[in-house]
Amino acid sequence: MAQSKIKKRADGRYMTQVELDPGADGKRRRITIYGRTLKEVEAKKAEKLEEIRKGTLSSNEKATFGEVADKWLYYKRGQLGEKGIRQYNHYQSIVNNQLQPLQRRKVKELKQVDLDMILSEYAQKGKSRKTLIYIKQTASQVIEYAVENDLAFRNVFAKVKNPDAPVTERQPLTDEQIRLVTENWQDHRAGIGALIMLYCGLRRGELIPLTWADIDLTEKTISINKSVSTSSNIFTVKQGAKTAAGCRVVDIPDLIIPALKHAKEKSGSFLVFPDAEGAMLTNQGYERLWESYMHYLNIKAGGRDRSRSNPKIVAMEPFTAHQLRHTYATILYDVGVDLKNAQRLLGHASLEMTLKIYTHLSQRKKADSIAKLNDFLNAQNAVI
């Protein structure tokens, strides 16, 4: 990288140039630096050299992540074609939702920690390892596109490590969490949905498009025949469930029949789990609703909001929609529902998937039993 000497111009200003590595087209590139004093030019030159060293120098100093992402999405749309529309929609959803905090940030200002923080946030929310990897790969591809188009000289996200899921296993709800969901369904919009996921095992994507017409309160069944996919924050309804086996009829326990009857009578929507206006939730709308629900249950559990003088009290650990479904699977195991029927009720594509859950639950029950035995013997000060 060649550097020119500092020269004084006829107008009294000082000037120098820094030659950059050739662009993708092989053409020579350089930047010119001006200053009113020799010291100012030297300082600006040192700043630019440091930006080149870090890879944050851009030929468009004002280019934002959002602007580059829009161009990259346009490029991917043409590259993927009609057959890749689902993949394109997935990219678009990640850019507009999970990577939204980066939208207005200038590309030259981005650092590895910016993506690390986003991944950490979603890991704490219980997102799967696969989802976290998709977020990382999408962000990295956007910056790589900026590098290829001379808007950045280094991909600052290239070395971000694929994050691990925050927990190695999904935990069922505790008895206290189950009680809170069961007893406090009426005064929050998410309450009836949580009740259905807990006691009927629906996936989030099956609950969101669920209509009252799908629920037969006389026969006490729910027909699951559609699901949603996400495209740019919007949930799109598609006929059929996540898998072919996902299309199923689930029995409703007597315990929640009165709640469903009451909710149907009070509902102003054909949807069971709508937004405040009675329409289908968006992805962001669901996230906000769920956060509000967790806050509501925490207060019901005896927690407290944070104030200027007092810290927040967490009386109940938040949980995810999938934990409700996992708790349903645990209930099926505990009451002795056989593998084949459990597979049908859960809508698993294969018996192996259900067997894996049952095997894990069996091992956990065994470990719990041994722990209880040890606790009892220790309490009795038994000596063997």
Side-chain angles (χ1 to χ4, degrees):
M1 186 187 338
Q3 301 176 35
S4 63
K5 295 180 179 180
I6 299 176
K7 299 178 182 178
K8 189 171 184 178
R9 292 163 47 94
D11 61 5
R13 291 188 299 164
Y14 290 87
M15 178 198 82
T16 189
Q17 288 185 326
V18 175
E19 188 166 334
L20 308 173
D21 294 332
D25 56 4
K27 292 183 179 180
R28 188 179 183 187
R29 298 182 304 159
R30 65 180 62 147
I31 55 173
T32 303
I33 302 168
Y34 298 94
R36 286 172 294 184
T37 65
L38 187 63
K39 187 175 181 180
E40 182 182 352
V41 169
E42 289 175 339
K44 287 183 176 180
K45 179 181 178 181
E47 181 181 344
K48 293 299 178 187
L49 289 173
E50 180 64 11
E51 288 182 7
I52 292 170
R53 186 186 71 79
K54 290 181 177 180
T56 57
L57 181 67
S58 171
S59 60
N60 181 351
E61 298 285 295
K62 296 181 180 180
T64 65
F65 180 88
E67 291 168 346
V68 176
D70 286 343
K71 291 181 172 62
W72 174 76
L73 284 169
Y74 182 80
Y75 162 74
K76 294 298 289 186
R77 184 71 181 85
Q79 185 186 51
L80 293 169
E82 290 302 320
K83 292 183 179 180
I85 187 65
R86 186 173 181 179
Q87 182 66 33
Y88 168 80
N89 288 339
H90 190 55
Y91 284 137
Q92 188 179 49
S93 176
I94 290 174
V95 167
N96 293 336
N97 294 296
Q98 286 87 353
L99 298 178
Q100 194 276 334
L102 304 181
Q103 291 283 339
R104 297 186 179 182
R105 296 284 303 279
K106 292 179 181 178
V107 172
K108 61 170 289 186
E109 296 175 348
L110 291 174
K111 296 178 176 61
Q112 179 176 324
V113 67
D114 294 314
L115 183 55
D116 283 334
M117 290 178 65
I118 288 175
L119 293 171
S120 176
E121 176 187 350
Y122 281 98
Q124 291 174 19
K125 288 182 177 180
K127 296 298 181 181
S128 67
R129 175 177 169 78
K130 184 177 180 181
T131 298
L132 298 176
I133 290 174
Y134 275 142
I135 296 172
K136 184 263 180 182
Q137 289 178 341
T138 302
S140 183
Q141 286 187 56
V142 170
I143 300 303
E144 191 61 36
Y145 181 80
V147 172
E148 292 171 357
N149 288 273
D150 298 332
L151 297 174
F153 283 83
R154 181 170 64 90
N155 187 345
V156 293
F157 294 156
K159 294 184 179 181
V160 173
K161 294 182 179 179
N162 287 334
D164 291 322
V167 292
T168 56
E169 61 177 276
R170 287 189 173 95
Q171 297 291 337
L173 269 60
T174 63
D175 291 342
E176 175 63 8
Q177 287 172 322
I178 292 174
R179 183 191 69 79
L180 288 166
V181 172
T182 306
E183 295 180 1
N184 298 285
W185 61 268
Q186 194 167 340
D187 295 325
H188 195 282
R189 278 195 297 115
I192 195 68
L195 209 60
I196 292 172
M197 286 189 283
L198 174 60
Y199 289 108
C200 298
L202 272 67
R203 301 176 175 93
R204 184 193 74 160
E206 296 166 345
L207 174 69
I208 287 171
L210 188 70
T211 67
W212 287 111
D214 297 322
I215 299 180
D216 188 331
L217 292 174
T218 302
E219 295 297 324
K220 302 179 183 178
T221 59
I222 297 178
S223 296
I224 301 167
N225 48 49
K226 51 189 170 294
S227 57
V228 294
S229 58
T230 309
S231 175
S232 188
N233 190 41
I234 303 299
F235 286 123
T236 303
V237 179
K238 59 180 182 178
Q239 294 304 311
K242 184 177 180 181
T243 65
C247 290
R248 62 200 187 278
V249 176
V250 178
D251 298 308
I252 305 172
D254 291 341
L255 175 68
I256 67 170
I257 290 292
L260 290 174
K261 287 181 177 179
H262 180 84
K264 183 178 181 180
E265 290 173 1
K266 297 293 183 180
S267 177
S269 172
F270 69 98
L271 292 165
V272 177
F273 193 61
D275 66 13
E277 305 299 323
M280 185 173 292
L281 286 161
T282 62
N283 190 39
Q284 288 182 348
Y286 169 81
E287 295 283 352
R288 289 194 296 268
L289 179 63
W290 198 257
E291 288 176 2
S292 170
Y293 181 53
M294 291 298 100
H295 171 78
Y296 167 76
L297 290 185
N298 184 58
I299 298 300
K300 286 292 184 180
R304 184 181 65 195
D305 281 337
R306 182 180 63 179
S307 66
R308 291 184 178 180
S309 57
N310 295 303
K312 178 178 179 179
I313 293 178
V314 178
M316 184 208 76
E317 288 297 322
F319 53 83
T320 66
H322 197 86
Q323 280 180 268
L324 291 169
R325 177 172 159 81
H326 188 67
T327 305
Y328 176 71
T330 304
I331 293 171
L332 295 180
Y333 173 82
D334 286 343
V335 299
V337 174
D338 63 88
L339 271 172
K340 195 64 181 175
N341 275 310
Q343 179 194 0
R344 176 183 63 82
L345 292 169
L346 290 165
H348 284 157
S350 67
L351 190 63
E352 287 74 18
M353 191 178 299
T354 314
L355 179 61
K356 183 178 180 181
I357 292 175
Y358 265 39
T359 301
H360 167 73
L361 291 172
S362 176
Q363 291 171 343
R364 185 168 61 81
K365 290 289 184 182
K366 179 180 178 181
D368 288 346
S369 297
I370 295 299
K372 289 178 181 178
L373 175 62
N374 284 327
D375 288 343
F376 173 77
L377 293 177
N378 290 335
Q380 297 297 316
N381 294 316
V383 178
I384 298 177

